[in-house]
Amino acid sequence: MEGNIHKSSRDRAVEQWNKLYQVIKSHAVVDLVKPEKGWPDMVFTANAGLVLGENVVLSRFLHKERQGEEPYFQQWFEQNGYNVYVLPKDLPFEGAGDALLDREGRWLWAGYGFRSELDSHPYLAKWLDIEVLSLRLIDERFYHLDTCFCPLANGYLLYYPGAFDSYSNRLIEMRVAPEKRIAIAEADAVNFACNAVNVESIIIMNKASDSLKTRLGEVGFQVIETPLTEFLKAGGAAKCLTLRVTEPVVEEVHATTQVESRIIRLEGHLLDSGLINRALDLIVDSGGSFQVMNFNLGEQRQSTSAAEVRVTAPSHDVMEEIISQLIDLGAVDLPQDEKDAKLEPVVQAGVAPDDFYVSTIYPTEVRVNGEWLKVEIQRMDGAIAISQTANGIVARCKILRDLEVGEQVVVDVQGIRTIRKPESREQRNAQEFSFMSSGVSSERRVELVVEQVAWELRKIRDAGGKVVVTAGPVVIHTGGGEHLSRLIREGYVQGLLGGNAIAVHDIEQNIMGTSLGVDMKRGVAVRGGHRHHLKVINTVRRYGSIAKAVDGGVIKSGIMYECVKNNVPFVLAGSIRDDGPLPDTMMNLIQAQQEYAKIIQGAEMILMLSSMLHSIGVGNMTPAGVKMVCVDINPAVVTKLSDRGSIESVGVVTDVGLFLSLLIQQLDKLTSPYVAKVV
């Protein structure tokens, strides 16, 4: 193995092998396989194949250094009367190194992740007629299952939990009782303590710590250590050097496997957008495996590509998780495999059925009665409710609390597809608004971003479109209030969302000249200024509303003034920390969310200005296709918004007052009416 090349001793290896042979021979009958010149790794006979009864599944080695062993092992098995099963070419499976029978014959533990593929497991279940439980290896030091996992007599299990992913550890814990699980420490694991040979109460291994030997002794096992350091250099120890051919066969146990496979199709600029890499990495990182069945590369730079990929997962739950993420990337079933979405009724208002599909920001369709329906009111983190109306069957996104008895909800991931426009590198890098590439960088030239935003704002306004602003009180504190006021006055803003504070400090500034008690012109705290915001709250409460205070001449300028005078709707969502609050502030959270959703309907752009909670809330209810600009001095805020994955959103790490000032300057330069850019 890497790091040990040219460091092994042939003489010492022969000596250690002979000692192991004699130890095992004193407790069991041992047959030997004739070595073949040029194939030294045949000594690791565990990888010859997997034997159960009279049947053997021959190994398909991953690396060419061992592939030449296959015909020699096949010949040995056939000469000894076994029925030999051969896996499809290029489907790696490395025998009893990655497949270990429960010592009582109840099931087969099968590993995957490094040397063996998950797709081999259904073959094992079918040919050996046994239940197969799939375990994913995630630590490259333990590349075979038998390096970190050893079933013992009487239902005990010796294993290293750190070698497995969380799903596999849960599966182990479900099948093996706590008192039967012997989890070892890393120090024992790296000495391959799990790579052991168990013959009844005897455990033969390379080395074990005193504490491990004590634990094994307490449950009736005797440990026999025999040094195998030379073989550790080649990645194996006692178990790797042996193949058990007398595994117990239980007649009442029959083939089952939780492994699922599904073929999906991806289409778009798969290479230059990195979409195919993201999809394949997602499959592996989520615990599955893949096989690219077909890949049609676009002939021209502007052409799209298409790929058909077989996805395999160790269980339905894992498959559902993988497919739901692939759906987000635009993956669909092959036409011949399309099925109707699975639906379950709502039996309790405001509660979805278990396993409900969680909606995303992307336009979604569901298949009902053989037809694809476009989902209405698209938003993320909702359920898809199906209902019968006078106009036919309707599918719409609904948040959980709005689900009604009598509706049906889409569960699982069958019969669902998202519609995503093909995205190329050129599109992402173009000097149109597609600079929105979900990027976050404080190094980004703010002037360039501002130029793009100004150009888009002008285009939307002149076309009669809709822009919504989500703003926090930092807009006021940083001197951006006058610039946002001007945007509203000049028709660039068609909706304002925020909390109690943005309105309070805007009114404080325009009535008393301070923000949080700080003089906005001199930048110094005013004596008694900490009371100013409470005074303006009290004044507005006396009038009954912000609009009435404007009409009464108390509020003469500012953001809220311009909203009232220009009939720009606004929604203020309250919180437990709000002073007052203002009479316009909605303290009913559910009502505020509903009003937010109404305001953003039809929006083409949302400017999110230094308001983390309100911006994230708005982002969650905004579908893909809406251009989003999040401006905040805190990178964590803009990263959170960019994590939505929408290519139409961008995070700008900068002072929001500076951003608004530059935006106004750039708009002033656009003196001529909007003229469509020619590409």
Side-chain angles (χ1 to χ4, degrees), residues 275-544:
L275 182 60
I276 188 68
N277 289 339
R278 278 186 283 162
L280 300 183
D281 286 346
L282 183 157
I283 294 168
V284 174
D285 292 344
S286 299
S289 64
F290 66 85
Q291 179 184 3
V292 179
M293 312 293 290
N294 292 296
F295 190 93
N296 296 317
L297 186 63
E299 296 181 359
Q300 303 293 332
R301 193 161 104 175
Q302 69 272 19
S303 303
T304 59
S305 303
E308 294 177 3
V309 181
R310 179 191 297 276
V311 182
T312 305
S315 70
H316 178 72
D317 289 344
V318 177
M319 176 65 82
E320 184 178 5
E321 176 64 25
I322 292 172
I323 294 297
S324 67
Q325 295 180 73
L326 290 174
I327 288 173
D328 292 351
L329 295 179
V332 296
D333 286 315
L334 298 182
Q336 63 267 28
D337 295 332
E338 289 180 350
K339 298 178 182 178
D340 282 355
K342 295 181 180 179
L343 307 177
E344 291 188 11
V346 177
V347 296
Q348 179 181 348
V351 180
D354 290 340
D355 200 25
F356 70 95
Y357 174 77
V358 180
S359 60
T360 71
I361 61 175
Y362 302 108
T364 303
E365 294 180 347
V366 295
R367 194 173 187 266
V368 180
N369 297 334
E371 296 185 4
W372 288 99
L373 303 177
K374 185 178 183 350
V375 177
E376 300 176 359
I377 319 176
Q378 190 66 47
R379 60 159 294 155
M380 71 184 297
D381 296 340
I384 298 179
I386 309 297
S387 56
Q388 184 71 49
T389 69
N391 298 321
I393 299 176
V394 174
R396 59 170 61 93
C397 282
K398 301 185 77 172
I399 52 181
L400 297 181
R401 66 167 179 261
D402 292 336
L403 293 173
E404 301 174 14
V405 175
E407 293 179 321
Q408 290 186 300
V409 168
V410 176
V411 298
D412 208 286
V413 291
Q414 179 177 296
I416 302 169
R417 66 187 185 191
T418 60
I419 312 301
R420 298 189 67 173
K421 296 179 181 179
E423 171 199 354
S424 68
R425 180 182 293 114
E426 287 79 5
Q427 288 173 315
R428 296 198 313 277
N429 293 336
Q431 290 300 309
E432 296 290 330
F433 203 82
S434 54
F435 77 90
M436 304 295 192
S437 58
S438 296
V440 177
S441 174
S442 56
E443 305 298 326
R444 188 191 299 268
R445 282 189 59 208
V446 176
E447 293 86 352
L448 176 61
V449 178
V450 169
E451 179 183 352
Q452 300 293 334
V453 174
W455 182 84
E456 188 71 15
L457 280 174
R458 187 63 174 267
K459 182 184 75 170
I460 293 173
R461 187 193 69 171
D462 292 351
K466 183 176 183 179
V467 174
V468 175
V469 172
T470 302
V474 177
V475 170
I476 310 302
H477 307 331
T478 57
E482 61 179 295
H483 307 306
L484 181 53
S485 298
R486 182 174 167 185
L487 290 176
I488 297 170
R489 183 167 60 252
E490 296 183 2
Y492 290 106
V493 178
Q494 284 70 47
L496 176 69
L497 305 174
N500 188 64
I502 177 67
V504 168
H505 295 295
D506 168 66
I507 296 170
E508 177 191 348
Q509 180 187 1
N510 289 281
I511 291 180
M512 311 194 75
T514 60
S515 177
L516 273 180
V518 175
D519 188 304
M520 294 299 294
K521 292 183 178 179
R522 296 183 298 145
V524 296
V526 176
R527 184 182 296 274
H530 63 284
R531 302 188 184 94
H532 286 185
H533 73 286
L534 293 172
K535 291 182 178 180
V536 299
I537 290 172
N538 194 53
T539 298
V540 175
R541 289 181 66 85
R542 182 179 297 113
Y543 276 86

